[in-house]
């Protein structure tokens, strides 16, 4: 279902899945181009969660998706404030979406969380490769770039692919969708992660 939420800076759209009586997971897509590559997968994952009795919300944040805020006017602080304003019990964040994970949630679940400094290095490489002032086709403010340099993820249940050498609570098979040239999906991985998230939510609910 398409809905909306309000935050101090205005009103943004969001997708809702599941019923009003289920625990609610609020999802954060990665920033910039990785959001386009993973959005279909995240929607598949949230639909799988609804089948397991877990509701969810996928909000557009300022400067992303269908937001009326221009990308060059977006800041990490505003994205975090908007994310915190979305009603929900838990967080599900993918990659740099973990940097936006704010709000009074019971617990957090992150897939391959990316630190701000890591993302900033990737953006600078993109700009150098393209030879333009844009960062992978995005015009970003100096404020946002400075925020990224210091941005870090919060404590969460962490899941990574088996090919990722970093520590995790769970390692899963498959290839990272955010590394592919075009948007794609992985329904088998979505089902596997939905099982893990559903079990995690039920454990948190006691």
């Amino acid at each position: 279902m398409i809905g909306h939420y309000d935050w101090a800076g205005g009103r943004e759209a969001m997708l809702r899945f599941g019923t009003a009586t289920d625990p609610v997971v609020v999802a954060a897509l990665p920033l910039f181009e990785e959001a386009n590559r993973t959005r279909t997968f995240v929607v598949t994952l949230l639909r799988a969660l609804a089948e397991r009795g877990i509701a969810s919300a996928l909000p557009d944040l300022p400067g992303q998706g269908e937001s009326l805020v221009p990308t060059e006017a977006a800041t990490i602080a505003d994205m975090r404030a908007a994310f915190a304003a979305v009603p929900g019990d838990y967080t599900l964040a993918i990659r740099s979406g973990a940097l936006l994970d704010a709000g009074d949630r019971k617990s957090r679940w992150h897939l391959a969380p990316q630190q701000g400094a890591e993302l900033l290095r990737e953006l600078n490489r993109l700009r150098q490769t393209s030879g333009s002032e844009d960062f992978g086709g995005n015009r970003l403010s100096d404020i946002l770039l400075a925020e990224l340099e210091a941005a870090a993820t919060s404590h969460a249940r962490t899941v990574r692919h088996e090919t990722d050498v970093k520590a995790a609570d769970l390692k899963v098979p498959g290839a990272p969708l955010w590394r592919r040239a075009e948007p794609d999906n992985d329904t088998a991985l979505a089902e596997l992660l939905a099982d893990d998230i559903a079990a995690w939510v039920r454990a948190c609910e006691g």
Side-chain angles (χ1 to χ4, degrees):
M1 179 180 71
I2 299 175
H4 67 269
Y5 69 99
D6 295 306
W7 69 290
R11 172 169 288 190
E12 300 287 356
M14 70 175 173
L15 296 178
R16 289 295 308 267
F17 304 87
T19 69
T21 57
D22 293 332
V24 178
V25 172
V26 184
L29 292 171
L31 290 163
F32 314 126
E33 184 56 33
E34 288 190 2
N36 298 327
R37 296 178 187 151
T38 57
R39 187 178 181 87
T40 297
F41 169 73
V42 172
V43 169
T44 300
L45 173 56
L46 299 183
R47 285 175 173 155
L49 283 176
E51 294 172 355
R52 291 160 173 79
I54 307 296
S56 59
L58 178 59
D60 281 343
L61 300 178
Q64 291 198 303
E66 301 300 319
S67 173
L68 297 179
V69 177
T71 303
E72 58 265 32
T75 67
I76 298 298
D78 281 350
M79 293 183 203
R80 287 176 59 85
F83 190 82
V86 181
D89 307 299
Y90 301 93
T91 295
L92 182 168
I94 312 293
R95 291 280 283 165
S96 57
L99 300 171
L100 313 178
D101 184 358
D104 186 17
R105 316 284 188 208
K106 293 180 181 178
S107 193
R108 292 163 160 79
W109 186 100
H110 294 166
L111 175 62
Q114 185 181 39
Q115 304 300 325
E118 293 178 79
L119 175 56
L120 186 59
R121 286 194 294 271
E122 288 187 4
L123 291 171
N124 283 324
R125 282 196 295 269
L126 283 172
R127 184 169 65 168
Q128 291 167 3
T129 301
S130 67
S132 72
E133 291 301 310
D134 292 346
F135 294 83
N138 296 290
R139 296 185 65 85
L140 306 177
S141 70
D142 291 339
I143 294 174
L144 185 144
L145 295 174
E147 288 174 314
L148 280 181
E149 193 167 7
T153 60
S154 54
H155 177 73
R157 175 170 174 77
T158 301
V159 178
R160 299 184 187 276
H161 285 88
E162 293 171 342
T163 54
D164 192 333
V165 299
K166 294 178 183 177
D169 297 297
L170 175 68
K171 293 286 184 85
V172 295
L177 293 171
W178 49 87
R179 295 300 186 196
R180 299 182 184 178
E182 299 292 336
D184 205 348
N185 203 357
D186 187 335
T187 55
L189 180 60
E191 292 290 327
L192 178 63
L193 295 181
D195 284 339
D196 184 68
I197 294 167
W200 163 72
V201 168
R202 293 191 179 102
C204 292
E205 292 287 290

